[in-house]
Structure formats: structure tokens, C-alpha cells
Amino acid sequence: MNFKSKQVLIGFLSIVIAAIVFLVFNLTKTSNHIAKKGEVPVIIGFVQLGSESAWRSANSASVKSAAVDKGISLIFKNAEGSQKLQKQLIRDFIIQQVDVIIFPPLVADGWDEILAEAKEAGIPVIISDRRIIVKNPDSYSVFVGADFASEGRKAGKWLVNNTSHSSAVNIVELEGLAGSSPAIDRAKGFRQEIVNHPNMKIIESVPGDFIKVKGKLAMKKLLKKYGGNINVVYSHNDDMALGAIEAIKDYGLRPGKDILIVSVDGEKAALQAIKDGESNVSVECTPLLGPVLMQTARKLLNKEKLPKSIIMEEKTFTIKNVDKELPLRTY
Ligand code: AHR
């Protein structure tokens, strides 16, 4: 073998070794847990949808720490707001033959094909956090998350109960990501409650994609257009509501007093805003899904019978209970 061929061979072998090290590292990196006696080793592939909010960061942290606690090897990937990438990462997990795939779908539609691929490969899928619309409901095993329509209804009900004396209630709505189930269902549930109250009117709905800066920008524009004629902000999540609070203060009005703030999530910062009198209500949507997800994955692999949907219990936070709840919030 001449010198040049030797160099080519060494180069090729280095690439093969690097690929093996990369694969082994990726398959083991997030688990420090040593499997207990009798525990079957489990590998879960989790594809997070993005990093748009404080809620999302808390959700990612919950999944990672629950995997360590339950002795599960977790391969965690993030699609950073791209459905195309989320599907690609799911496909990678199918090729790797993980035991269970879990993913919170960025949007509700467009998952039929990839779920059929997972089914064909015999890999059970848990849908987490956000609901999906599929032709074949058997294409995934279980849904674990919240009832977003009920959250919208709770928000609407609070508003109805607290503005019944007002002759006109002008509402602006900050919408979550278009096509995502929390945006669709929170809009629907809220309307179901206010529809029979002619004093209540949604004067404009604008997208804010669940992102704080987008909520602030949208609110700034709405204030420019409607000024003090806005009575209520209904925001599909806390982050956008917190952005709107900043915009209202910059405009010279008092959030929580001149303009009521109604939002969803129950993040620590939103609870603090309620305590400070700058927000009025936050309907809880818990991001702490990790322990239930890990438990559900194990049950699935043990072939235990499971309900199709596991819905989390959630509260509503106002000035009446915020003092009790605030010290308990971790996110
Ligand atoms: O899917 C849950 C929603 O997504 C949360 O309400 C929101 O904050 C997040 O971005």
C-alpha cells in the first residue's frame, strides 16, 4: 500500500470511529440513572417543538429531569419552531428504533404520514401537550396534556363574572401560533363563554405566536389604533400578556386596572403581575408533564391498558389565591 492510499484509509477509519462515538454519545447522554433490578432499559426519543416561551423551557426541563428520575435513557431534540424539522427528527428516531417516541406537535395538522411510518416500524408514539388532528386515531397511542378549550372557557367565565356591570367590554385578543391546538381551542372556549353577553365584543384578534416580544409589539399597534377604548386583553399565553403589560405601561395606562389582563399558563412572572395588581387572572396550563410522560411510556411498553387521553388537573389564579400559589411556582 503506497503512502497516499494509507492516508485515505486512515481518513476513512477516523470518520467511522467519530460516527460510532457520536451515536453512542447521543443514545446515552441524558441519563445518569442506573437501571434498578427488574427495570427494563427504555430509550425514549423526544422532539420538543421549540423554545418560544418560559412555559416551553419549563416543559423541556420537566421531561429531562423525569427521565433521569425514572431511569429512562432520553434522547432530546428540539425542532425550534419548524414542523418540517420536527418530522425529520421523528423520522431519525424511527430509523434509530427507539422504544417510544414522544412529541408535542407544533401545529394540529399534517402528522398522518409520519405517524403511519412510526406505526409501521412498531414504535409507539405519545402525543404530548398539544392536540393533533389525524385521519386514523390509532396512529398514536396516548395523548398527555391539557384541555385547551376548557382553559379558554375558564378565562371567558372569569371575564363574564367580573364585568357584568359594564355596558361595553371591548376585548383585544393576542393569539398563539396559527394552526396550533392551544391557539385554536383557547379561542373557541373563550368565545363559547362570552357569546351570550352582548356587552362583550372582540374588537380585534392579532397573532403573537406565544412570544413575549411579539405580544408587546402587537399591543403597541393595538393601542395606537384603539387607545383607551380597549377594556380587556385576552392573551392565549402569559408570555404575550407580559409583553402587553409592558406596552400598556409605555402607553401611559395601568394594566390590570384601566385594561384588564386575562391570560393562560400560570407562570411565576404572571402570578407576580397579579400580586402587583398589573394582571387579573391566569388560567393554569401545567408544563410539568415529564413524570406522567415517563410513567405512561413505561406502562405502554409493559402493555398495560391506558386511556386514549390523560388530561392534567389545572387551577385558576387570581388575587384571591396568588399569595398561596406564588411561593410554590418553580417556573
Ligand atoms: O402548548 C402550550 C402552550 O405553548 C403554552 O400555553 C405556551 O406558553 C406555549 O408556548
Side-chain angles (χ1 to χ4, degrees), residues 7 28 109 121 162:
Q7 271 190 323
T28 54
D109 274 319
N162 286 273

Side-chain angles (χ1 to χ4, degrees), residues 173-214:
E173 181 182 35
L174 300 178
E175 301 167 309
L177 183 75
S180 71
S181 65
I184 298 167
D185 292 346
R186 287 172 188 166
K188 195 164 104 193
F190 183 77
R191 281 164 179 76
Q192 285 169 351
E193 286 297 328
I194 67 163
V195 70
N196 293 323
H197 300 270
N199 60 333
M200 301 197 146
K201 193 172 162 208
I202 298 177
I203 54 173
E204 198 163 331
S205 298
V206 285
D209 298 350
F210 293 121
I211 295 171
K212 185 177 176 187
V213 284
K214 291 198 181 179

Side-chain angles (χ1 to χ4, degrees), residues 49 51-56 104-105 128-130 148 151 180-182 186 209-211 236-239 264-265 267 285:
L49 62 81
S51 316
E52 75 285 4
S53 62
W55 190 102
R56 190 62 52 201
S128 151
D129 164 26
R130 297 185 178 179
F148 295 136
E151 291 169 353
S180 71
S181 65
R186 287 172 188 166
D209 298 350
F210 293 121
I211 295 171
H236 289 184
N237 82 341
D238 282 345
D239 277 33
V264 185
D265 274 353
E267 287 174 12
C285 173

